[in-house]
């Protein structure tokens, strides 16, 4: 099928090799995404090549970074990015997708079923209430893409990350200001930046994806994360 070959080619341009089965999963994911997008807003990007590059490749440029059999929580998963692409690339990962909108969670559930993905679940919850559903400090990694500024993201994700685990934040080009503004949050939440990696994403155009790896050094005070209004009014 022409689309399967095109998907493999786009990934290959970005130094990621897919099996035929993985390429078919990504193609099926694309079809499900576009169909659901007709009913409610999941993505502004709908062009085939753009979805493959800017959603799928973008989500997995760091897929080799995760340790074997790790647990991963995708906070604010939306249409499943980066959690579902990571699961396709790394079937060994145990993945939890968290989103606050029930329509999106229903889409995630149907996609998980359609793609026959195992050891992955989706949860309808805000990050602040997730501790009522899953234990705090549970995950080897929390991940988040295009959800919030870094100081806010830290408060939403670090409480669910194990000590010595990591928050992996997918960011655009202008990260220096965000990092400066996150100094207090890093200190308050017993975390520090471990590394910043820049990946060149190659498609119809070329852009950089910055990924900030933040290690959690010690337990998080039980008062975090605070409720949404408190975070917005007085961010760390």
């Amino acid at each position: 099928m022409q689309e399967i070959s095109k998907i493999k080619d786009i990934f290959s341009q970005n130094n990621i090799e897919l099996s035929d089965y993985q390429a078919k999963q990504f193609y099926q994911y694309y079809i499900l995404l576009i169909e659901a997008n007709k009913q409610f807003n999941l993505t502004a990007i709908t062009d085939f090549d753009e979805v493959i590059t800017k959603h799928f490749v973008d989500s997995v440029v760091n897929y080799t970074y995760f340790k074997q059999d790790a647990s991963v929580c995708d906070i604010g998963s939306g249409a499943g990015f980066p959690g579902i692409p990571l699961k396709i690339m790394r079937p060994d990962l145990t993945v939890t997708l968290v989103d606050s909108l029930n329509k999106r969670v229903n889409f995630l559930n149907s996609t998980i079923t359609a793609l026959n993905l195992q050891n992955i679940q989706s949860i309808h919850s805000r990050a602040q209430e997730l501790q009522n559903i899953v234990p705090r400090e549970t995950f080897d990694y929390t991940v988040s893409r295009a959800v919030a500024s870094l100081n806010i993201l830290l408060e939403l994700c670090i409480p669910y990350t194990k000590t010595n685990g990591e928050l992996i934040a997918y960011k655009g080009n202008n990260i220096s200001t965000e990092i400066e503004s996150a100094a207090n949050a890093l200190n308050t939440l017993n975390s520090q930046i471990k590394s910043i990696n820049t990946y060149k994403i190659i498609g119809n155009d070329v852009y950089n994806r910055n990924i900030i790896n933040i290690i959690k050094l010690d337990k998080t005070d039980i008062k975090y994360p605070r409720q949404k209004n408190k975070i917005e009014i007085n961010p760390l």
Side-chain angles (χ1 to χ4, degrees), residues 135-200:
R136 297 164 58 87
E137 303 181 323
T138 292
F139 300 98
D140 297 311
Y141 303 94
T142 51
V143 299
S144 197
R145 178 178 177 266
V147 169
S149 59
L150 187 59
N151 61 330
I152 292 175
L153 199 60
L154 281 156
E155 183 168 353
L156 296 178
C157 296
I158 286 294
Y160 304 106
T161 311
K162 291 178 180 178
T163 300
N164 298 317
E166 294 181 38
L167 161 61
I168 298 180
Y170 291 63
K171 291 291 179 180
N173 279 327
N174 301 315
I175 59 172
S176 56
T177 301
E178 278 198 59
I179 290 171
E180 282 182 27
S181 298
N184 183 58
L186 286 163
N187 182 60
T188 301
L189 298 167
N190 301 316
S191 303
Q192 70 179 24
I193 294 175
K194 177 183 176 183
S195 61
I196 302 170
N197 296 293
T198 302
Y199 300 86
K200 183 177 288 187

